[in-house]
Amino acid sequence: MKGIVFTEFLEMVELEFGLEVVDSIIENSNLPSEGIYTSIGTYDFNEMLSLITNLSAEVKAPVDDLIYAFGLFLFNSLVTAHPEVVENYKSPLGLIYAIEDHIHVHVKKLYPEAQLPTFKIVETTQNSMSLIYCSSRGLYRLAHGLIEKTFEYFNATAIVKYTLIKEDGTEVKFDIVQNG
């Protein structure tokens, strides 16, 4: 997993819960990297799982809720770091529709070894979309947060519902209906 995800996660933890919590979850996670991440490095996904699990225990919040909150946080960081990725889109559904054919292509150019989820568009209308998220990592709640933040970025709102196709969250159907 790319180091930028780790650095952004720890930044979110520091902003939301304080530096003491960052230190505690790193210390309790027994990380091969010792919690020292660079944005261009690549690290074992199990380190992220350990950090999230320890954060959950430390702040008494469900892991899925923390992953969702990280999705909300990560969107702003990605847009700040790479505004060129979103500046050509006029609507949130347009941006989401382009995840596979444009955004992930751009991400792969920046981070060739990135292991990205796939999004298969099942159905789309002028104000709605259904898509299937697939990832061996099961971070569908991260995707959920990113989707919801996309609408906020465009000053729009939507109802975003998801259905687990596989119980482990590696395949999830998202149904998105834009309001207004």
Side-chain angles (χ1 to χ4, degrees):
M1 180 173 254
K2 291 308 295 175
I4 191 164
V5 176
F6 286 88
T7 59
E8 291 298 322
F9 177 74
L10 293 175
E11 182 178 332
M12 180 200 77
V13 173
E14 182 178 353
L15 289 171
E16 293 295 319
F17 304 106
L19 191 54
E20 298 80 19
V21 173
V22 172
D23 290 341
S24 176
I25 66 171
I26 289 172
E27 187 176 305
N28 292 329
S29 293
N30 192 25
L31 306 167
S33 71
E34 298 179 355
I36 301 168
Y37 304 108
T38 65
S39 60
I40 58 171
T42 302
Y43 305 92
D44 189 324
F45 177 65
N46 288 323
E47 288 198 25
M48 180 59 73
L49 292 179
S50 185
L51 289 167
I52 291 170
T53 301
N54 282 301
L55 177 61
S56 174
E58 181 87 17
V59 302
K60 311 280 189 274
V63 168
D64 282 349
D65 291 354
L66 295 169
I67 293 170
Y68 170 77
F70 181 50
L72 295 171
F73 181 86
L74 187 59
F75 182 89
N76 289 338
S77 298
L78 294 173
V79 170
T80 300
H82 303 286
E84 72 280 3
V85 175
V86 296
E87 64 189 12
N88 294 324
Y89 297 96
K90 305 291 183 231
S91 73
L93 288 173
L95 179 62
I96 294 167
Y97 188 84
I99 290 172
E100 283 298 317
D101 295 333
H102 179 249
I103 296 168
H104 280 179
V105 170
H106 186 78
V107 171
K108 281 292 201 178
K109 286 179 187 174
L110 295 170
Y111 309 107
E113 65 281 345
Q115 296 176 336
L116 302 171
T118 61
F119 293 89
K120 179 183 175 194
I121 305 296
V122 178
E123 183 181 345
T124 185
T125 69
Q126 187 173 349
N127 69 336
S128 69
M129 180 181 296
S130 293
L131 54 91
I132 306 292
Y133 159 96
C134 293
S135 172
S136 62
R137 295 182 172 158
L139 295 175
Y140 68 96
R141 293 287 286 160
L142 180 80
H144 184 199
L146 288 167
I147 290 168
E148 288 199 351
K149 202 64 169 183
T150 300
F151 281 87
E152 185 178 311
Y153 176 80
F154 285 97
N155 296 312
T157 59
I159 297 170
V160 180
K161 295 182 180 179
Y162 60 86
T163 306
L164 298 180
I165 296 171
K166 293 187 177 175
E167 282 302 311
D168 63 358
T170 58
E171 193 171 337
V172 176
K173 181 180 183 206
F174 282 93
D175 292 302
I176 306 163
V177 178
Q178 185 169 343
N179 297 325

